[in-house]
């Protein structure tokens, strides 16, 4: 059940995508809109670009002392009464989460690329659980049965016609009108009924503060809020590259991620330090007030520490997953995440696939990179994506990673 | 079916080892354009083309053949273990596109003329005008690239070059920013002819009044900081240049770098860019032979694509 990349099969899919006119139109619209939005944000708020430079420095320093930050985060999480776990591999993470969740549970997820790395939905379903994505885009692609097509806009290829067919066909729900609003309402009603009864909520994270053990997430839909506060047990999957020294650093990361994703100001930034509690009676603290009673935090390695030791792949660990490099990429705008691997896509996606799955197969896909450098120019944390992609080509053609 | 990128890379590697060029091309096709000009074979500054302008007519023709294979319905999956593709390609006779060849050579002659008008007399290495290895670097063939870079460096040094003048963005970038990482003690000064012209106070004494839209090549704009020079040169002869939506440091690629690996994708990218350029003007100025070739391949007859050298030298007005 581990995720694999077969680059030739991926090329066949990419070529099919090229012939899909609806997809091509949707991608070109989405990338145009995103470019316009981000340009506006940066032009009207000069403080964002300077904050991005600060975040670049925060990320660089964090990755440099990553091992130390992991240890610190683990003690801070314990101090905050959360349960931290270190998962070296996909298998590790699945079995840890599997033990927490058990079977016959109702599980709700908020969009998380880390969960996608684990192919968590299928895994939990295979253990006899009912699992629902609560982000609208992710929910629709769950119904469709495909992979997320962009880091922040998983359903970038979705049309209202397709969404209607999915809701009617897969869930047998009637949507009153064929407006986007009505689709969103229908999904909301359906998901509400699940969220309210859920046993377990699983989120990702934009950043984790090592000094306080605080998980920071940023969003517009408010589903992360619900998933991380309504179920009695919650789990956060945090890739280790998301750990930064302080809570303030973590909030800065979230703000920059949102701004470069074209969502500024973000509607919500969530700050979660441990499970909910109350000390209202006799000043004695008990856990489990209105929010969860238990919070489990999975620190996911999955190739990251190994990548850190490689000066080029290690640079990708600065990534805050804003997805701007994809929207600016002339290739991605014709392929969506079909170009990249089973989880990630686009310029950053190829490199994340190399780190988490297979550098040689990822390197073969890197051959579609133009080396045009628009991604390098766009990345808020200054990752030299095109340079790393060229390096992946040397790996693919020589069949080994030894040379650098 | 999509082409298997590694097979195309192997083909290029093979050609390089056999012919010294990524595609079979007769050696004198590289320097025959310079013969009538009587340039000295030694000295500095040395004009070095890196053969890209001369190769483009051959590349355009091989890309057509690759596009045919790509367009066939055989699935790449069925071919994954066979050696069918390189065998087929090695057998291809590569005929240059005649009109394109004439065009490339006239651009190179214009560049020499422009430099001369600005008081810069160049030497030219003739047989020493070797392929720069750009494609080897871009495709990750690092060992072969290093060997080629050393050969080029030696050829230029032997002929007395201290300053090298380049004519296209790829060769400029590879020589100036990449060679020093692969060659110990690299000490050539590398400049694009556009930089040299801009610095020399280019004043040709004629003006060309027309509107064009400018298409920055990625490497000049984002990697070599050559953005204002071409604009100032155009303005100095009275050409009014218009900016497309995505321009200067955020210019948009023509798709050219993957024309041999994924011709269909390259065309899709070129078409997107062309559309955006044409919104501003049907006369498009290019600064790179790859951009020229790729935009040309998707442009209708009502669209004019002009290399900046021809515009500046007054040959296309
Ligand atoms: S590589 Fe840079 S631009 Fe791309 S998603 Fe990561 S942070 Fe954003």
């Amino acid at each position: 059940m581990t995720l694999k990349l077969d680059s030739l099969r991926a090329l066949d899919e990419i070529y099919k995508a090229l012939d899909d006119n609806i997809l091509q139109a949707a991608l070109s619209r989405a990338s145009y809109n995103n470019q316009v939005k981000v340009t506006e944000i940066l032009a009207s708020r000069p403080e964002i670009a300077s904050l991005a430079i600060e975040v670049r420095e925060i990320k660089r320093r964090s990755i440099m002392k990553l091992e130390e930050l992991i240890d610190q985060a683990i003690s801070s999480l314990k101090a905050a009464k959360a349960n931290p776990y270190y998962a070296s591999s996909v298998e590790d993470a699945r079995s840890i989460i599997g033990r927490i969740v058990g079977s016959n549970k109702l599980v709700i997820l908020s969009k998380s690329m880390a969960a996608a790395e684990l192919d968590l939905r299928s895994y939990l379903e295979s253990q006899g659980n009912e699992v629902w994505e609560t982000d609208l885009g992710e929910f629709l692609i769950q119904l469709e049965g495909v992979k997320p097509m962009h880091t922040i806009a998983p359903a970038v290829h979705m049309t209202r016609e397709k969404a209607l067919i999915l809701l009617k066909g897969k869930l047998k729900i009637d949507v009153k009108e064929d407006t986007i609003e009505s689709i969103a309402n229908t999904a909301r009603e359906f998901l509400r009924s699940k969220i309210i009864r859920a046993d377990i909520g699983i989120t990702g994270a934009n950043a984790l503060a090592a000094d306080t053990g605080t998980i920071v997430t940023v969003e517009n839909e408010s589903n992360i809020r619900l998933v991380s506060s309504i179920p009695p047990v919650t789990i956060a999957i945090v890739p280790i590259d998301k750990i930064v020294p302080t809570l303030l650093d973590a909030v800065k990361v979230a703000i920059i991620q949102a701004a470069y994703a074209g969502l500024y100001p973000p509607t919500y930034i969530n700050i979660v330090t441990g499970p909910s509690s109350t000390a209202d009676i006799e000043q004695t603290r008990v856990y489990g007030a209105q929010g969860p009673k238990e919070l489990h935090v999975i620190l996911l390695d999955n190739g990251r520490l190994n990548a850190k030791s490689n000066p080029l792949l290690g640079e990708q660990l600065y990534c805050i997953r804003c997805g701007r490099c994809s929207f600016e990429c002339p290739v991605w705008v014709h392929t969506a995440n079909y170009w990249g691997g089973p989880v990630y896509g686009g310029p950053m996606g190829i490199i994340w696939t190399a780190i988490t799955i297979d550098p040689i197969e990822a390197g073969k896909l890197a051959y579609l990179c133009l080396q045009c450098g628009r991604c390098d120019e766009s990345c808020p944390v200054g990752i030299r994506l095109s340079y790393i992609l060229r390096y992946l080509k040397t790996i693919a053609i020589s069949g080994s990673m030894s040379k650098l | 079916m999509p082409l298997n990128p590694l097979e195309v890379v192997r083909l290029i590697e093979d050609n390089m080892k056999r012919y010294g060029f990524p595609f079979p091309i007769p050696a004198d096709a590289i320097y025959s354009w310079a013969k009538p000009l009587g340039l000295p074979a030694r000295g500095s500054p040395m004009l070095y083309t890196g053969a890209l302008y001369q190769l483009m007519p051959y590349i355009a023709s091989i890309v057509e053949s690759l596009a045919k294979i790509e367009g066939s319905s055989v699935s790449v999956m069925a071919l994954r273990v066979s050696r069918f593709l390189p065998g087929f390609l090695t057998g291809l006779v590569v005929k240059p596109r005649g009109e394109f060849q004439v065009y490339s050579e006239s651009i190179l002659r214009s560049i020499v003329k422009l430099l001369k008008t600005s008081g810069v007399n160049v030497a030219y290495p003739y047989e020493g005008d070797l392929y720069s290895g750009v494609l080897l670097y871009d495709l990750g063939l690092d060992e072969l690239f290093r060997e080629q870079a050393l050969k080029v460096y030696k050829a230029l040094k032997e002929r007395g070059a201290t300053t090298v003048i380049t004519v296209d963005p790829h060769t400029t970038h590879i020589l100036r920013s990449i060679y020093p990482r692969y060659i110990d003690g690299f000490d050539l000064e590398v400049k694009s002819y556009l930089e040299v012209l801009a610095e020399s106070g280019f004043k040709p004494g004629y003006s060309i009044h027309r509107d064009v839209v400018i298409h920055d090549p990625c490497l000049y704009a984002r990697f070599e900081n050559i953005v204002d020079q071409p604009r100032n040169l155009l303005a100095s002869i009275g050409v009014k240049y218009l900016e497309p939506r995505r321009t200067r440091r955020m210019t948009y690629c023509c798709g050219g770098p993957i024309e041999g690996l994924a011709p269909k994708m390259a065309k899709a990218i070129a078409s997107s860019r062309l559309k955006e350029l044409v919104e501003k003007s049907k006369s498009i100025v290019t600064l790179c032979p790859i951009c020229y070739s790729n935009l040309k391949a998707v442009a209708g007859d009502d669209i004019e694509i002009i290399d900046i050298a021809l515009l500046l030298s007054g040959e296309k007005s």
Side-chain angles (χ1 to χ4, degrees), chain B residues 122-137:
Chain B
V122 293
Y124 180 67
Y126 299 92
E127 315 79 57
D129 194 1
L130 305 173
Y131 179 60
S132 67
V134 163
L135 206 49
L136 308 177
Y137 178 77

Side-chain angles (χ1 to χ4, degrees), chain A residues 340-384:
Chain A
V343 179
Y344 297 98
M348 60 84 121
I350 303 263
I351 306 171
W352 277 116
T353 301
I355 292 173
T356 58
I357 297 178
D358 181 348
I360 292 183
E361 284 301 296
K364 292 181 191 166
L365 283 188
Y367 274 103
L368 288 187
C369 168
L370 298 154
Q371 307 290 147
C372 82
R374 275 174 66 83
C375 50
D376 310 349
E377 196 71 20
S378 313
C379 176
V381 291
I383 299 171
R384 295 169 297 169

Side-chain angles (χ1 to χ4, degrees), chain A residues 316 319-325 348 379-381 383 385:
Chain A
Q316 190 62 37
C319 175
I320 57 172
R321 325 288 201 278
C322 67
R324 190 174 180 219
C325 53
M348 60 84 121
C379 176
V381 291
I383 299 171
L385 292 135

